[in-house]
Amino acid sequence: MPYWGQMLLQDPASPIMVQLILFHDHVLVILALVVMVIFYTLISLITNKYTNRFIYEAQEIETIWTILPAIVLLFLALPSIRLLYIMDETFNPHITIKSIGHQWYWSYEYSDFGHMEFDSYMIPSNELNLGDYRLLEVDNRMVVPTGINIRLMLTAADVIHSWAVPSLGVKMDAIPGRLNQTMFNILLPGVYYGQCSEICGVNHSFMPIAVEAIHLKDFMNWVKS
């Protein structure tokens, strides 16, 4: 959960989100260095009085300002490509959960445990308990175990939705007639909130996502119950 006035990203709860935050910090460091060099160059050009009316070309400096940006782009592109491959399906799932987007709620199916499915609606503001989060609490949370590779299959029953939980580093579109999939592994137990990230109608803002991560033993007891 983000806090009021929070400027940075949410605390990571999955290995993918950890890598995303590290890449974000890496890009900001390079951006800061580039901005410092540009400001130094501008100030130097403004403050000095050197001039030469007879220079028509400067191949050396043109070569430098062509090669240096290419090197900077390499420092950005290589970690980015590495992260894309990490985010790809690089591990075998232990549990598969199917989520279907509706106007305006989510439904979940645990096909690995027989015919187990339920709908997840937002709890209205007048029914919230003390300490609940407005517009984020649901009547049935998606329950998953920690430390387990989870595959999430996504589709929609009507219009395009998007299943997104920032602290897990997951955002995937749910498209009618198409089955998308993504994977994640939650490091710590807790409740992680998200929302539909694709404008899907008048109640788009009222179909939140709540993922409750618990230990594997507690998850198996929940499945049996």
Side-chain angles (χ1 to χ4, degrees), residues 142-157:
M142 173 182 163
V143 181
V144 296
T146 58
I148 295 295
N149 298 330
I150 300 167
R151 175 171 58 187
L152 183 66
M153 313 290 290
L154 287 163
T155 188

Side-chain angles (χ1 to χ4, degrees), residues 22-39:
L22 290 176
F23 178 69
H24 170 266
D25 297 341
H26 173 75
V27 172
L28 283 185
V29 169
I30 294 179
L31 177 62
L33 293 175
V34 171
V35 170
M36 289 173 60
V37 171
I38 291 175
F39 268 100

Side-chain angles (χ1 to χ4, degrees), residues 208-225:
I209 301 162
V211 179
E212 182 175 354
I214 58 179
H215 294 294
L216 181 59
K217 182 178 179 180
D218 297 327
F219 175 77
M220 296 310 298
N221 293 332
W222 176 79
V223 171
K224 294 176 182 178
S225 61

Side-chain angles (χ1 to χ4, degrees), residues 74-185:
L74 282 178
F75 277 98
L76 293 175
L78 295 179
S80 176
I81 294 173
R82 171 182 172 271
L83 184 56
L84 285 175
Y85 277 98
I86 292 176
M87 294 176 64
D88 203 0
E89 301 155 19
T90 56
F91 52 80
N92 295 321
H94 299 106
I95 296 176
T96 298
I97 302 173
K98 183 179 180 181
S99 178
I100 304 173
H102 303 265
Q103 291 180 314
W104 286 272
Y105 64 96
W106 297 94
S107 62
Y108 299 98
E109 298 178 5
Y110 291 72
S111 56
D112 294 337
F113 306 99
H115 191 68
M116 179 182 175
E117 58 184 56
F118 55 86
D119 298 330
S120 180
Y121 288 87
M122 186 194 76
I123 298 178
S125 298
N126 58 349
E127 298 180 10
L128 292 174
N129 297 319
L130 184 63
D132 289 344
Y133 295 104
R134 177 178 172 270
L135 301 182
L136 289 177
E137 296 291 348
V138 297
D139 54 357
N140 293 306
R141 294 170 176 168
M142 173 182 163
V143 181
V144 296
T146 58
I148 295 295
N149 298 330
I150 300 167
R151 175 171 58 187
L152 183 66
M153 313 290 290
L154 287 163
T155 188
D158 33 52
V159 298
I160 298 177
H161 301 275
S162 185
W163 199 92
V165 180
S167 57
L168 302 181
V170 175
K171 182 182 182 296
M172 182 66 66
D173 287 342
I175 304 173
R178 177 175 176 177
L179 200 62
N180 286 342
Q181 69 177 24
T182 184
M183 296 189 185
F184 57 90
N185 187 318

